[in-house]
Amino acid sequence: MKEIVFYYDVVCPFAYMASRVVEHVAARAGARVKWTPVLLGGLYEATDAPQGKHASATTVMAPAKRAVVANDLRFQLERYKVPFNYPDVNPQRTLNAMRLLAASPTSQLSTPAADPRASAIDNSVRRCLTDALYRAYWVENQDLTDQKVLTDCVKKVGWSVDVDEVLNSSSSLGSKAKSQLEANTQEAAERGAFGVPSFWVNERLYWGVDRLLLVESVLSGKKASPLRIRSVPSDAAERPEQKLTVYFDFSSPWTFLGVSQIPAFVESLRPLRVKVEWVPILLGAVFKAIGTPLVPMTALSPAKATYASQDLNDWVQYHGRWSLQYPSNFPLRTVLPLRVYCARPEEKLRTALFAAGWQRDIDIGNPEKLSQVLSEAGYDPAPLIARASDPDIKDMLKKNTARGVQAGICGAPSFQVDDGPVLFGQDRLPMVADMLCGWSPTSASTSSKL
């Protein structure tokens, strides 16, 4: 039977969310889930994560990105209808909790557990104990370092075991639990995992709850549909026009994928009226302003950098509409093409510049090569490039970039609906669509506890 190996640690809220979604994905794809507890700190240590073994990955993020990630977590929890209450203490040390899970049997419970999802496909002790521990941490604000809390969770799922013995590494059962957790963590690291939630499917790693869309597509053999919680309203034609702001720079492959979707995306929402506001920004200046490395890939651990390249290819294959050729002169110098676009903000020009940089391996930062691209697109290059040097054009790009920073963007592509919260990434367009269709998240925040 097809299988999803699900690597998780209860310390991670994104893995908690994945634990509420993964069984449904498996059911739709005709697969089973292998619940595999790991120690997140162990993965961090094995992959030389910049935040170290004990800290959260968000601690090394710029405040702007931390805020966007915090809002994104809240929005996704709300969309998936996952109960959530941020704990007073986070992160907690989950070593004992994860050893309990490593020792827990994968056999099915003979009687239903107290968990309301006891009718789930997997009603094993391990899955039910996972649920109980996640709920204790992320809903009930309990301290998982307290052995009494762990014992209560074990009792709730009906597992008859001596918790003291499991947590005593000198005992036979405790030694096995310790070794199993270490083995799980090592296996995940050897397969390329650098964080949780991670999924091993068809000899490939996928990371992040939002990548379950890719997992489902691979397992089912057909393109899975992203989560949508709002459809186009029946009175769409009578509703006022809405503004979709798109912050972009020609320097990013992810932005290429994002902006390439926009025309069909807007068309799919008709008869809603959506006016797209294209805002060119200088991404390097954004990174400098918010305290992010100018080339973020250089700050990633080797394992995460390797995965990032794979992830980009996965999304190209998922969309299946655009080829992408990584430029030989990466990172692209985009100040000049951005200024040219500011001087002539047309869809034809924007499309030609993205295609040149990300499909034709042309150095669009080189004036001569840029001239050739402009000429092929039907423009007279000399006056356009000359216009790009005018003070008002330079000032326009600076103001656009400052506007993005002020709005709270942390990268590109970034989106806003009617100047609302910033959504970051080409994979957040389904969320953008729901906002345009009337969904208003209730949990937006301007600060982060992550």
Side-chain angles (χ1 to χ4, degrees):
M1 187 179 186
K2 293 179 288 187
E3 182 178 74
I4 302 172
V5 181
F6 173 31
Y7 297 112
Y8 65 97
D9 184 333
V10 295
V11 74
C12 175
F14 292 95
Y16 164 49
M17 181 161 42
S19 77
R20 308 284 298 194
V21 177
V22 66
E23 288 283 6
H24 301 291
V25 169
R28 290 193 296 268
R32 71 180 183 91
V33 179
K34 182 179 180 182
W35 295 76
T36 309
V38 299
L39 202 59
L40 182 57
L43 289 179
Y44 287 165
E45 183 176 40
T47 58
D48 295 322
Q51 69 272 14
K53 179 179 179 180
H54 298 296
S56 167
T58 59
T59 59
V60 294
M61 292 179 182
K65 185 168 185 179
R66 202 155 55 237
V68 169
V69 170
N71 270 341
D72 187 69
L73 171 64
R74 290 285 185 175
F75 296 165
Q76 290 196 71
L77 288 164
E78 185 175 326
R79 289 165 64 77
Y80 282 113
K81 299 180 179 179
V82 175
F84 187 80
N85 176 33
Y86 205 94
D88 292 337
V89 177
N90 184 63
Q92 298 177 18
R93 185 172 169 82
T94 58
L95 175 62
N96 286 344
M98 300 315 293
R99 284 185 178 174
L100 269 178
L101 286 169
S104 63
T106 56
S107 56
Q108 301 295 301
L109 289 166
S110 56
T111 57
D115 189 281
R117 296 190 306 142
S119 59
I121 297 170
D122 186 338
N123 194 41
S124 66
V125 173
R126 179 169 294 174
R127 202 281 298 164
C128 293
L129 181 58
T130 297
D131 281 351
L133 290 169
Y134 269 127
R135 184 169 184 83
Y137 193 132
W138 293 106
V139 180
E140 298 169 351
N141 194 20
Q142 297 194 57
D143 181 4
L144 292 195
T145 65
D146 185 340
Q147 192 163 318
K148 181 180 182 303
V149 173
L150 300 181
T151 301
D152 288 345
C153 289
V154 167
K155 289 179 179 178
K156 284 179 182 178
V157 303
W159 179 25
S160 179
V161 69
D162 186 336
V163 174
D164 289 335
E165 184 179 0
V166 175
L167 300 184
N168 181 2
S169 58
S170 298
S171 70
S172 175
L173 186 56
S175 177
K176 288 180 180 178
K178 177 184 177 183
S179 296
Q180 187 61 60
L181 183 61
E182 290 174 348
N184 290 351
T185 304
Q186 182 177 350
E187 176 188 82
E190 289 175 350
R191 288 176 166 180
F194 49 86
V196 295
S198 287
F199 313 94
W200 183 255
V201 178
N202 292 356
E203 302 301 312
R204 281 280 309 280
L205 184 84
Y206 297 86
W207 173 65
V209 63
D210 42 14
R211 270 44 179 179
L212 281 170
L213 177 69
L214 303 178
V215 168
E216 184 176 348
S217 298
V218 167
L219 287 174
S220 64
K222 59 183 180 181
K223 186 176 180 178
S225 299
L227 175 68
R228 287 289 309 278
I229 61 174
R230 289 287 188 277
S231 56
V232 176
S234 57
D235 63 345
E238 286 75 47
R239 293 195 175 194
E241 182 179 74
Q242 297 177 88
K243 181 178 69 171
L244 170 59
T245 302
V246 181
Y247 298 95
F248 72 95
D249 185 340
F250 298 114
S251 65
S252 162
W254 297 104
T255 307
F256 166 69
L257 284 184
V259 302
S260 296
Q261 298 175 59
I262 296 298
F265 170 82
V266 172
E267 187 66 29
S268 71
L269 297 175
R270 293 191 184 280
L272 277 176
R273 289 177 291 158
V274 179
K275 179 181 179 181
V276 181
E277 180 191 24
W278 297 93
V279 182
I281 58 168
L282 192 58
L283 202 50
V286 171
F287 291 156
K288 183 177 181 180
I290 68 175
T292 294
L294 295 183
V295 183
M297 284 281 287
T298 62
L300 301 179
S301 67
K304 195 168 185 177
T306 297
Y307 178 78
S309 296
Q310 171 194 302
D311 190 41
L312 178 62
N313 290 328
D314 286 342
W315 280 107
V316 171
Q317 292 177 23
Y318 172 80
H319 291 301
R321 296 173 58 189
W322 308 282
S323 62
L324 187 147
Q325 181 180 358
Y326 221 84
S328 55
N329 56 304
F330 184 83
L332 291 173
R333 297 169 299 160
T334 58
V335 175
L336 180 57
L338 284 167
R339 288 176 179 171
V340 166
Y341 178 81
C342 286
R344 197 74 175 267
E346 297 177 354
E347 180 179 358
K348 182 176 71 169
L349 177 56
R350 186 176 64 249
T351 301
L353 290 171
F354 268 116
W358 292 102
Q359 293 182 305
R360 301 172 60 194
D361 193 16
I362 296 175
D363 182 2
I364 57 176
N366 181 301
E368 291 183 3
K369 294 182 179 181
L370 177 60
S371 294
Q372 181 181 349
V373 172
L374 294 174
S375 181
E376 291 174 354
Y379 296 95
D380 184 356
L384 260 182
I385 291 178
R387 178 83 171 94
S389 298
D390 288 353
D392 62 319
I393 294 298
K394 293 180 177 180
D395 191 52
M396 182 187 302
L397 184 58
K398 289 180 181 178
K399 287 182 176 178
N400 285 349
T401 302
R403 172 187 168 185
V405 172
Q406 181 65 31
I409 70 171
C410 61
S414 287
F415 310 98
Q416 285 182 289
V417 174
D418 290 332
D419 300 319
V422 169
L423 301 178
F424 171 50
Q426 60 87 30
D427 53 339
R428 291 303 181 261
L429 280 172
M431 197 181 295
V432 172
D434 285 332
M435 287 184 174
L436 289 166
C437 289
W439 175 61
S440 179
T442 60
S443 49
S445 64
T446 56
S447 62
S448 170
K449 297 171 71 175
L450 288 177

